[in-house]
Each structure stands twice: as structure tokens, then as C-alpha cells.
Amino acid sequence: MRTTSYLLQQCRNDDERAFVERLYDEASDEGPDFMHYRTKSAFQAAPKLGIDRNAYARILHALDMIERGIYRHCREKGKQGIPARRPRC
């Protein structure tokens, strides 16, 4: 879709616009492109995560603690460590 919208913006006349729209309609009628999938892939919906809001917050807190520890202790000369996601005071 992104390519189609870019090409439609680049069209200079109605004939080019009709050509791009025809190409898009043909490509969408063919269906999804399965060329880059592995042969034994299962085409199904992504699994639902069985975590609640508190578990998600605990995971994010643990990741922040890891990030702060690495950031604090890897500041040798010439090393930047992991960049901070928010400004630190």
C-alpha cells in the first residue's frame, strides 16, 4: 500500500494514475505473497499473551533496572553503554 500511495503521488496525469490503480487491483486480487515464507510455516493468528497489566509492568521495570545497571557500569572511556530512553537527572 505504501508503494501504491507513493506512485499515485508521482503520477503526472490521469492515464498514469489509472495504470497504477489497475496494477494495485491486479496485485490485490492475486492475494498475499507467500514467496518469503518457509515451507512448514503455520499461517495462523499470533498467540495471545496471558499476562495482565501488573506482569507487564514488572517486566518493564526489570528491563529498566538492567538498562540502568549496564548504563551505569559500562561508561568506560570510549564506550557509550546503552543509550537512555529518557533524560536522566
Side-chain angles (χ1 to χ4, degrees):
M1 184 64 185
R2 186 183 306 177
T3 305
T4 305
S5 62
Y6 172 75
L7 289 175
L8 286 173
Q9 291 174 359
Q10 300 299 318
C11 291
R12 289 173 276 185
N13 55 31
D14 291 336
D15 293 335
E16 291 178 358
R17 186 175 201 76
F19 178 71
V20 170
E21 289 173 350
R22 186 174 51 85
L23 287 178
Y24 178 73
D25 290 338
E26 289 174 3
S28 63
D29 289 342
E30 290 175 5
D33 181 16
F34 295 109
M35 186 175 196
H36 298 290
Y37 288 97
R38 296 183 182 197
T39 56
K40 296 182 180 180
S41 294
F43 297 105
Q44 57 189 10
K48 300 265 184 193
L49 294 178
I51 61 174
D52 61 346
R53 185 176 70 184
N54 294 329
Y56 183 70
R58 284 194 301 269
I59 292 169
L60 288 180
H61 179 69
L63 290 174
D64 278 343
M65 292 299 110
I66 291 170
E67 178 188 31
R68 287 180 188 166
I70 291 172
Y71 185 77
R72 185 176 297 138
H73 299 297
C74 286
R75 297 295 291 191
E76 298 173 14
K77 187 173 185 177
K79 290 189 178 180
Q80 296 298 317
I82 295 177
R85 285 186 285 175
R86 57 184 172 268
R88 300 200 189 273
C89 298

